[in-house]
């Protein structure tokens, strides 16, 4: 036991469960998970997994299953890795606060397997001695009541968010150690040197196609045929590229073409569009909000992205109200503000 | 009979029927209407009207009821007035083409009782010898299967769109004559000198609150409380005011405040928002498209309105598809275009 790593994974849904299973498969870790909604079911009967990588598994359970982060912090255990695979909604829950009970300063490495951009920043502020690892997963997997269906291979790129305090060597070693407890012959887990580059590359799609489809209620095909691709999304891509450039990241010359053609042949609905359709809050802040903060710091103009962001903030407000996160009075309160 | 005006009203729904009834009430006209969807019912049993202005009326019929504009053109009659109270969707039907069979050059005055801006332009191009009257109606009235419920008084402002070819005198006389066949002691029909000014004033609301609510799916109250009013709509109002100014129209200094507070106390859903909710096409081109054309001609920058317009074009595409106006192939066609 003592030679094994203590690993906690938070958010064992479609993606998280396959990541957890992969770590268990390697066998170097003492694996715990936090699972909220399906806790009772998973505690009783484990996961039934139908996986393109691992085949059919019935009743799989890791060593420990907890209903909350607080519960995972009760045993006197020092976690070597805390992996976060939840949705990333800092305007609702701040992940860096959520995980506080399970972080040991200077020891626990945090692995953010989440959508978004510049995710390290709030962690560096709160945990300056900890390595913050970036995992970008290209997996297709979903969860229906504890039954996991993985339809696309678990392929991921793992790097570290560059800490302002820690050395390159420490961070790189920790990141590669994480890969050694996760990578196996069934999945594909690659070390990628530049997290920032990779996250910018993803944003060229996510900040422009994902957002605009969410706002207009179409898939990327209809966005193209309606003219929105050329009138909004492509000019918005140029804004992302300009921010990246000002931030020292040079994206390939054909990046716009590659991104536009990435859903070729599919009437593909990106994640934010699907969230709006389902009435779920959108990952607006980590995809667009964080980019606009950096743009402002670097003094790069982003007129289109700013309007899209402000519009999606209104949509997010509507989605939060729909989720019962707040209630408005029956009669609209009158503002006595003078607007000009 | 010969001393009466020949009047044709096209689009006898909630608003149109009350306008028609008001004209019939005055009694100076030989009144015909075009009613498409409810033609059979109206032809048989007439309209049942429950009106805040006129009380309860059962089985009202004008002199002639036609199922189409073509049918209204069959009798050899010269119309003095053609009043259009349909929705204004030039990207679907061009009103100036629709009415061609019932227009006598140099004689028929066209009354556009419709939403939108710069509506005279296509008529001046096609009918340079005809007076084009602008009617802005502030009425609350809706139609359910030929039963009309008018809940807010018929109050309207009538002016003329300034023709590049006709004299002020001719246009003013014709406009006032129209008022004389429509205005009665139950309704409130005012002559307003400057149609352009009035249409710009309406746009301060319609181009910025109506559009943004349609795009984000909220009412004007939620737009305010979510921050969208101040981040998008008010800056967009400044763009409308700048276009107006460049076009020679000076709006009042407190116009933004007046517009923002115009729905005070109500969680009010503007018309475009209601259309999107119902899956109906939106009056995007006459509200925002025409404004942006003028802005371009006058070289006024409208960065926010332009993004809002381009986004709503995508929404309009989705709405048209939803109405069965076109069908897409099952597999998304692949474009071989190189995007950059």
């Amino acid at each position: 036991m003592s030679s094994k790593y203590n690993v906690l994974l938070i958010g064992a849904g479609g993606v998280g469960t396959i990541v957890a299973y992969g770590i268990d498969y390697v066998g170097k870790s003492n694996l715990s998970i936090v699972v909220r909604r399906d806790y009772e079911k998973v505690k009783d009967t484990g996961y039934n997994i139908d996986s393109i990588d691992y085949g059919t598994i019935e009743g799989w359970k890791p060593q420990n299953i907890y209903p909350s982060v607080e519960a995972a912090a009760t045993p006197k255990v020092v976690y070597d890795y805390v992996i976060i695979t939840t949705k990333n909604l800092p305007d609702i829950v701040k992940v860096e606060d959520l995980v506080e009970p399970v972080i040991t300063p200077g020891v626990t490495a945090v692995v953010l397997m989440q959508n978004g951009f510049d995710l390290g920043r709030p962690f560096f502020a709160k945990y300056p001695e900890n390595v913050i690892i970036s995992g970008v997963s290209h997996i297709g997997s979903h969860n229906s009541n504890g039954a996991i269906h993985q339809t696309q291979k678990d392929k991921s790129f793992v790097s570290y968010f560059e800490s302002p305090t820690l050395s390159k060597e420490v961070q790189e070693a920790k990141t590669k150690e994480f890969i050694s407890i996760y990578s196996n012959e069934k999945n594909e887990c690659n070390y990628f040197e530049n997290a920032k580059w990779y996250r910018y590359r993803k944003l060229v799609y996510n900040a422009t196609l994902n957002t605009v489809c969410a706002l207009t209620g179409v898939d990327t095909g209809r966005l193209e045929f309606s003219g929105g691709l050329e009138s909004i999304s492509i000019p918005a891509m140029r804004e992302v590229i300009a921010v990246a450039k000002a931030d020292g990241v040079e994206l390939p010359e054909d990046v716009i073409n590659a991104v536009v053609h990435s859903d070729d042949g599919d009437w593909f609905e990106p994640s934010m569009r699907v969230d709006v359709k389902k009435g779920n809050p959108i990952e607006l802040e980590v995809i667009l909000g964080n980019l606009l903060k950096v743009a402002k710091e670097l003094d790069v103009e982003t007129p289109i992205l700013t309007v899209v962001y402000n519009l999606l903030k209104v949509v997010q407000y509507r989605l939060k109200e729909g989720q019962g996160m707040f209630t408005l009075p029956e009669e609209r309160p009158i503002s006595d503000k003078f607007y000009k």
Side-chain angles (χ1 to χ4, degrees), chain A residues 46-232:
Chain A
Y47 284 98
N48 292 332
I49 301 173
D50 178 13
S51 162
I52 191 172
D53 288 335
Y54 303 104
T56 303
I57 302 126
E58 305 229 336
W60 174 73
K61 289 183 190 180
Q63 278 75 16
N64 303 294
I65 304 170
Y66 298 109
S68 68
V69 175
E70 288 71 25
T74 332
K76 284 279 158 279
V77 59
V78 172
Y79 290 107
D80 297 294
Y81 292 94
V82 168
I83 306 163
I84 305 171
T85 48
T86 60
K87 274 185 75 176
N88 203 340
L89 302 164
D91 48 335
I92 298 172
V93 176
K94 294 204 187 302
V95 185
E96 66 275 19
D97 297 337
L98 175 78
V99 299
E100 194 168 4
V102 292
I103 302 292
T104 305
V107 176
T108 311
V110 179
V111 184
L112 300 173
M113 283 214 158
Q114 299 184 294
N115 260 331
F117 175 75
D118 202 20
L119 304 181
R121 190 192 293 226
F123 282 86
F124 293 137
K126 193 165 177 130
Y127 312 106
E129 304 300 313
N130 296 55
V131 175
I132 311 300
I133 295 172
S134 161
V136 176
S137 177
H138 299 250
I139 190 177
S141 183
H142 61 272
N143 173 20
S144 13
N145 302 313
I148 306 293
H149 299 272
Q150 184 202 351
T151 52
Q152 291 180 316
K153 284 192 70 63
D154 180 7
K155 182 177 172 183
S156 59
F157 292 89
V158 176
S159 340
Y160 55 89
F161 291 105
E162 276 177 60
S163 161
T165 46
L166 301 175
S167 73
K168 188 177 182 325
E169 290 67 34
V170 164
Q171 297 182 89
E172 188 171 320
K174 200 77 190 168
T175 304
K176 289 187 171 166
E177 186 187 74
F178 171 70
I179 292 174
S180 78
I181 69 161
Y182 173 38
S183 176
N184 59 47
E185 81 269 18
K186 305 282 188 183
N187 64 17
E188 199 184 312
C189 175
N190 306 289
Y191 179 72
F192 191 86
E193 217 169 317
N194 195 333
K196 199 158 89 169
W197 188 96
Y198 206 82
R199 296 267 173 182
Y200 267 117
R201 174 63 181 75
K202 273 208 100 174
L203 270 191
V204 180
Y205 185 103
N206 271 332
T208 65
L209 291 172
N210 205 351
T211 53
V212 173
C213 287
L215 202 44
T216 56
V218 298
D219 53 62
T220 51
R222 283 168 174 83
L223 186 70
E224 176 190 343
F225 293 118
S226 66
L229 172 68
E230 297 203 42
S231 68
I232 315 159

Side-chain angles (χ1 to χ4, degrees), chain A residues 9 15-27 31 33 49 51 53-57 60-61 182 184 187:
Chain A
L9 181 138
V15 175
T17 303
I18 299 298
V19 173
Y21 189 83
I23 289 168
D24 196 42
Y25 187 92
V26 172
L31 178 66
I33 65 170
I49 301 173
S51 162
D53 288 335
Y54 303 104
T56 303
I57 302 126
W60 174 73
K61 289 183 190 180
Y182 173 38
N184 59 47
N187 64 17

Side-chain angles (χ1 to χ4, degrees), chain A residues 262-322:
Chain A
S262 58
D263 301 331
D264 264 2
D266 289 329
W267 303 106
F268 183 75
E269 294 195 321
S271 61
M272 255 193 206
R273 160 66 188 141
V274 174
D275 279 332
V276 171
K277 209 170 173 178
K278 289 185 177 168
N280 292 330
I282 50 177
E283 293 183 302
L284 175 63
E285 292 305 327
V286 293
I287 286 177
L288 204 42
N290 286 356
L291 175 70
L292 294 182
K293 272 183 215 149
V294 172
K296 207 174 171 184
E297 287 166 9
L298 299 174
D299 222 4
V300 180
E301 302 254 304
T302 52
I304 295 173
L305 291 171
T306 300
V307 177
V308 169
Y309 172 74
N310 286 328
L311 289 166
L312 281 172
K313 287 251 283 191
V314 181
V315 173
Q316 181 79 320
Y317 181 90
R318 168 166 66 82
L319 294 169
K320 285 182 187 173
E321 187 189 10

